[in-house]
Amino acid sequence: MGPMAIDDENAPDRDGSAEVVRDLRTALDGRWREVRDRARELIDSPDLLPDPSRTLDQARADVLVTMRRLAESGFADAGFAADHGGSGDIGGSVAGIEILGYADLSLMVKSGVQWGLFGGAVENLGTARHHDRYVRSIIDLELLGCFAMTETGHGSNVQELETTATYDPATGEFVIDSPTPSARKDYIGGAAQHARMAAVFAQLITGGPDEEPHGRGVHCFLVPIRDENGDDLPGVTTGDCGYKGGLAAVDNGRILFDQVRIPAENLLNRYGDVAADGTYSSPIENQNKRFFTMLGTLIRGRVSVAATAGAAGRKALTLATRYGLVRRQFDGPDGGGEIRILDYLGHQRKLLPLIATSYAVTFAQNELTAELHEVQALLADGDDDEELAVRQRELEADVAGLKAYATWHASRAVNVSREACGGAGYLDENQLPIIRGDIDVFTTFEGDNTVLTQLVAKELLAAYAGDVQGLDAAGWVRFVASMARDVVVEKTAARQVIQTLLDSSDEDLEDSSLTDRSTQVRLLRAREDHLVRTCAQRMRRASDEDEDAFEVFNAAQDHLLKVGHAHTERIVLEAFVEAIADCPSAPAAELLGHVCDLFVYAALEQDLSWFLMHRHVSVERAKAVRRGVNELCAQLRPHAADLVDAFGIPESLLAAPMLEHA
Amino acid sequence: MGPMAIDDENAPDRDGSAEVVRDLRTALDGRWREVRDRARELIDSPDLLPDPSRTLDQARADVLVTMRRLAESGFADAGFAADHGGSGDIGGSVAGIEILGYADLSLMVKSGVQWGLFGGAVENLGTARHHDRYVRSIIDLELLGCFAMTETGHGSNVQELETTATYDPATGEFVIDSPTPSARKDYIGGAAQHARMAAVFAQLITGGPDEEPHGRGVHCFLVPIRDENGDDLPGVTTGDCGYKGGLAAVDNGRILFDQVRIPAENLLNRYGDVAADGTYSSPIENQNKRFFTMLGTLIRGRVSVAATAGAAGRKALTLATRYGLVRRQFDGPDGGGEIRILDYLGHQRKLLPLIATSYAVTFAQNELTAELHEVQALLADGDDDEELAVRQRELEADVAGLKAYATWHASRAVNVSREACGGAGYLDENQLPIIRGDIDVFTTFEGDNTVLTQLVAKELLAAYAGDVQGLDAAGWVRFVASMARDVVVEKTAARQVIQTLLDSSDEDLEDSSLTDRSTQVRLLRAREDHLVRTCAQRMRRASDEDEDAFEVFNAAQDHLLKVGHAHTERIVLEAFVEAIADCPSAPAAELLGHVCDLFVYAALEQDLSWFLMHRHVSVERAKAVRRGVNELCAQLRPHAADLVDAFGIPESLLAAPMLEHA
């Protein structure tokens, strides 16, 4: 135990523990804490935990039953505008769905598909005729839908989808078709069994009275796929993706369309419409911009996935921490019996930095959820000024970055937690293997993490320029190379707390203490700036030397991915700093400060070679980072139980025999 | 593509490719290549792939049927001495069982339990009366057994098992008992359903005519647990561990003993015996030494698990590499259509260093398998000189280290491969999620990886001293502190190839080229020596300053784990160097050289901060490492298909729809 120890490990019933847990939880739950508490009550039953002995059909049916119960409680109202039949609380809808992850990630995903993706497409891409007709029945589960974007041939590159929707002016219908095997809709949640209707993304082809039909880019159409008995409608062929790595209760499937005709009004026409004679119109002239605007309205799904991954990581870490506190192995000093495994430094080093990162990610998640809530409210009010547009682009980039950061973190946390529980961690009865199987695909769906991390970098380097979205790699390089020489990343979202912190620190970065919050923020800012600047230089040099633009892009891909990671980690830290400043409880804020230190030290340790190579950190400081992680682990060890209790996971959902007889 | 490129990526049918693949495969298959080829033939059928739609009972039964077919072919003979009824080819038994992992890891584990662990206990801990009676029926599967070592309360610390075996001189029987709930045998493969007999590890309690009964340490007993109908025998209560993270066809279970009586001859009495009057005798007087000698005879299980993890990693990487070669996404330069995803640097960086590490691990595995084969042959011949004893201790430490290194590598390779295949990688039809679920526990069973890595360091620091095994942490620290000041790691196993390499390099390490093989070996040796020396200093300083020995141990645990890792990585590299020297084909050896470079560069990059902090690598060299990984990826990209083809996985076992319609 280092000199900084703030508590005695032999005093588990220490004074004030319950209050600290409560105050930490208040901080973690953030602005939508009441929504979270209501959701916790709704799912507070071990019956909701996934049962691995069920068949796929049983699992799917059970989760649908739970969804109906949620719907009856009004759970799904928040995601839809009040004048469409919902209650209009976007942030609340994300917070609520996140909590479902404490019970069963399949429940979250299936709910997310119905209310977030399918419902969100109708809500955000549709107009009054769709809202009036569908929103209530989507909320009530009278209409079960799916979100048919991904195709066998195209997941990341959605702009190149092959499904076509050709307008036929003779009948006033759209003809939906899968022209090739790779145009098959694939991995679609709900498509295997339960969905009756699909929100189908397809290349719209239409002309007008004086124009040949031609491609207008990807649009979304509501296509009925099954009749009341669940049989495929004419021209529709659905298939079942079958067994997967997890998410047993989500009925992922495939859809092929063979010239399926749907009425004209089934085009979700907010951003593009087709008149009876086939004339195309859109409030957004540029096809690229239109496409990315449409995609942008759907980022709630991405925010929800990141949030839920956070919940899964916290649950796994809670189980592993509790096991580490009851499990003993190998004799300790002086005949005191066997050692609790969480008292080993090696074990602390596995779990505590991950817990600290979970805190950091939770605060960042809360911040982005609030920003999503605000931006979407302004958009709903009809605002469309340039400032809001930039704010929206930044939000989209940050959501992409955090989705990747949070889901990779969650995967790591779950994997490490499983291994930290040894053989017990491998038994489904202790939940960890199920979480491990379920969480795996979170790094893939709602945007592949590598693609998303790269997207962050591309946006940063292009300074959120309007024309850059949709450019291919070479085009993007040429754009960046053509930009003014001295573009630096503007951190427009810099909050007052951060600004004050930075203004107050005039010390040389190298001399200032590593536990100083401003030093920490300045280090992560300096890394980001350095990476962005040098990456931009590479792009420009390429143009000077007239190299092949794609080769330049590709040779710098690891650099780009590092930019994206560095940016996201910086905003995560700043959200943590903000959350500490907002915490009214002094003991909780003090503890959060140490947790934040551990997050920073662990993040620095993870990337220490970069900091050393680029001389942002001296060898002496680097050694202090490594020692510091150890010291902070010792310091936080007595608070481990409190730190995970503060996640507020219903006890009924933490059932695990290993915690009883360890 | 860097200047070093050795091939044109647009020439997949390049000359000599088939020969290179053949020669690489010969190198990888090593000394037991014929055994491997026979095993490949035995499992060359897609029917052997795990079918996720089966119930647990069906899966278990199916695998048992396959095992019977293997047994009929003589597959299991190799693991048993010729005069016990086998064919006495230890190395071959490991090579054979490893290949089963290409089909189904459950098949490998269930086979390993029966023939390796249960059979191995009888073979190695028993004497003629056991060999005569049991070996043939174990080989033939007439007797199905399990290996009941782990208990609910003790997995890593086997010396503290609670199950008791008390000798009753009145009846000449042992009484097997589980005195506490935590004494329950747990996670035991075969115990849930198929095993009729258990090799039970229990604390032997016996006295003698003039002596009170007292503990003699852990011994192994053959205990019948089920009758012919599969019902528990009197006093035995078995249970089923049920659903797990993977390995569906392995019937892991639990066993509780309530005063179960077994005849005296069921003690496996090679290292300890009890006379009719209860007198205890053993060829090894020291109880600790006896225990670790007994454990030492069982390391074949650990070698097999490491080998099979290697196979699983290679299979996952083969699937992901092939997918990367057919899957295209996002437009490339100049309207050339979409890019193969393996042509992206980011994707190459995911897969190619893992492929290189798989080569390295395979060569190290082959080397340790051969050493195991030699050592066990000498032991079987009755050799017991001091040199052999040290050789055996080194082997045990290296096996521990490689088991951890290989299984962590395999886990990472499988996880990355899954993610690299996106949504397709999450469907069981493409195999990756099943491998991912199965491989997970390999880091835990046959020794928790963290405990094993630490064991390597403890052995190195204590210079394989005979008395150190079984000491608790504090005792070990005191031992190391008491050792002569200047103990350095002797690398007794240094092969001629390595020695020649080192002798030929008189250049200063800092100035010599990083692609120079001797530079690479010297760098990894320097890291290991540095870590061992400084760790020993910490232990000694502790004794000087009279600190609490356990605290000293615990504060240095991350240092210890780093020692273990560095040692193992060094022997892995040296095995790679040896394998290149042994490769008679010049083109294959040249390609292996580049693969070895990538392995080294990736390993250096992984630990770059350490090399920088301890000034073993300059900033300039560190930057060259990072660049070098990129260049080597570009260089090996055209050979990616060949590199995985050389693993020689039967095509029938690589069935994956994603490879057809990607």
Side-chain angles (χ1 to χ4, degrees), chain A residues 191 244 298 455 515 534 574 587 600 613:
Chain A
K244 306 185 300 287
L298 304 173
L455 174 78
T515 53
T534 49
E574 292 186 5
V600 171
M613 272 193 283

Side-chain angles (χ1 to χ4, degrees), chain A residues 79-96:
Chain A
F80 300 87
D83 52 359
H84 302 163
S87 64
D89 179 9
I90 297 298
S93 77
V94 172

Side-chain angles (χ1 to χ4, degrees), chain B residues 300-415:
Chain B
R300 182 154 48 107
R302 200 165 274 171
V303 178
S304 303
V305 157
T308 309
R314 293 192 297 271
K315 181 171 173 181
L317 288 167
T318 302
L319 291 166
T321 300
R322 290 185 175 187
Y323 186 70
L325 289 168
V326 294
R327 177 76 175 175
R328 295 172 179 271
Q329 206 77 178
F330 291 110
D331 284 337
D334 309 326
E338 288 185 290
I339 306 269
R340 277 184 288 203
I341 58 175
L342 197 59
D343 285 332
Y344 287 108
L345 171 65
H347 212 74
Q348 292 165 8
R349 264 192 164 265
K350 284 182 190 171
L351 297 178
L352 297 179
L354 290 169
I355 291 173
T357 305
S358 279
Y359 269 76
V361 166
T362 302
F363 293 130
Q365 185 66 40
N366 287 349
E367 197 169 87
L368 285 193
T369 302
E371 177 69 1
L372 171 78
H373 187 87
E374 301 299 330
V375 167
Q376 295 211 337
L378 291 169
L379 289 170
D381 287 349
D383 284 21
D384 69 343
D385 56 46
E386 187 54 29
E387 195 185 329
L388 181 59
V390 171
R391 193 170 158 188
Q392 198 182 354
R393 285 286 287 282
E394 285 188 353
L395 171 65
E396 286 170 25
D398 287 349
V399 164
L402 189 63
K403 186 271 178 182
Y405 191 92
T407 56
W408 269 328
H409 163 66
S411 261
R412 198 163 42 239
V414 174
N415 273 301

Side-chain angles (χ1 to χ4, degrees), chain A residues 1 52-53 151-157 160 184 187 241 243-247 254 327-334 338-339 343-347 349-350 408 415 418-419 422-424 426-429 433 436-438 440-441 443-444 448-451 472-473 548 550-551 553-558 561-562 605 608-609 612-615 619-620 622-623 626 630 661, chain B residues 1 52-53 151-157 160 184 187 241 243-247 254 327-334 338-339 343-347 349-350 408 415 418-419 422-424 426-429 433 436-438 440-441 443-444 448-451 472-473 548 550-551 553-558 561-562 605 608-609 612-615 619-620 622-623 626 630 661:
Chain A
M1 194 76 56
S53 73
E151 295 175 357
T152 304
H154 288 95
S156 293
N157 188 7
E160 298 294 322
R184 182 180 71 173
Y187 319 116
C241 290
Y243 293 86
K244 306 185 300 287
L247 300 177
R254 294 153 177 158
R327 177 76 175 175
R328 293 170 180 273
Q329 207 75 179
F330 291 111
D331 283 337
D334 310 325
E338 288 184 290
I339 307 268
D343 285 333
Y344 288 107
L345 172 65
H347 211 74
R349 262 189 164 268
K350 284 180 192 173
W408 269 329
N415 273 301
R418 196 303 291 161
E419 195 178 323
Y426 197 58
L427 302 187
D428 281 4
E429 65 177 30
R436 181 174 179 273
D438 290 346
D440 185 24
V441 79
T443 60
T444 293
D448 173 87
N449 277 6
T450 300
V451 175
D472 65 16
D548 178 277
F550 178 79
E551 284 299 319
F553 171 84
N554 205 25
Q557 203 186 12
D558 60 329
L561 292 170
K562 229 172 141 44
E605 189 177 46
L608 211 43
S609 63
L612 282 163
M613 272 193 283
H614 298 89
R615 308 194 195 272
V619 165
E620 283 321 301
K623 289 181 178 172
R626 183 165 265 270
N630 290 357
H661 55 54
Chain B
M1 194 75 55
S53 74
E151 296 176 354
T152 305
H154 289 94
S156 295
N157 188 7
E160 298 294 324
R184 180 180 71 172
Y187 320 116
C241 290
Y243 292 87
K244 306 187 299 289
L247 298 177
R254 295 153 177 159
R327 177 76 175 175
R328 295 172 179 271
Q329 206 77 178
F330 291 110
D331 284 337
D334 309 326
E338 288 185 290
I339 306 269
D343 285 332
Y344 287 108
L345 171 65
H347 212 74
R349 264 192 164 265
K350 284 182 190 171
W408 269 328
N415 273 301
R418 197 300 293 161
E419 196 178 322
Y426 197 58
L427 302 187
D428 281 5
E429 64 177 31
R436 181 175 179 270
D438 290 347
D440 184 25
V441 80
T443 60
T444 292
D448 173 87
N449 277 7
T450 300
V451 174
D472 65 16
D548 178 277
F550 177 78
E551 284 298 320
F553 170 85
N554 205 25
Q557 204 185 12
D558 60 330
L561 293 171
K562 229 173 142 44
E605 188 177 47
L608 210 44
S609 63
L612 282 163
M613 272 193 286
H614 299 89
R615 307 192 195 274
V619 165
E620 283 320 302
K623 288 181 178 173
R626 182 166 267 270
N630 290 357
H661 55 52

Side-chain angles (χ1 to χ4, degrees), chain A residues 252-297:
Chain A
N252 292 84
R254 294 153 177 158
I255 318 175
L256 274 164
F257 299 101
D258 180 14
Q259 308 281 338
V260 174
R261 291 185 164 260
I262 56 168
E265 67 259 28
N266 283 22
L267 166 64
L268 294 174
N269 59 333
R270 179 165 161 198
Y271 294 106
D273 210 352
V274 177
D277 64 3
T279 304
Y280 181 76
S281 64
S282 168
I284 304 172
E285 199 166 336
N286 181 293
Q287 190 163 312
N288 255 321
K289 188 174 175 201
R290 185 191 314 137
F291 174 73
F292 286 101
T293 302
M294 287 167 67
L295 280 194
T297 65

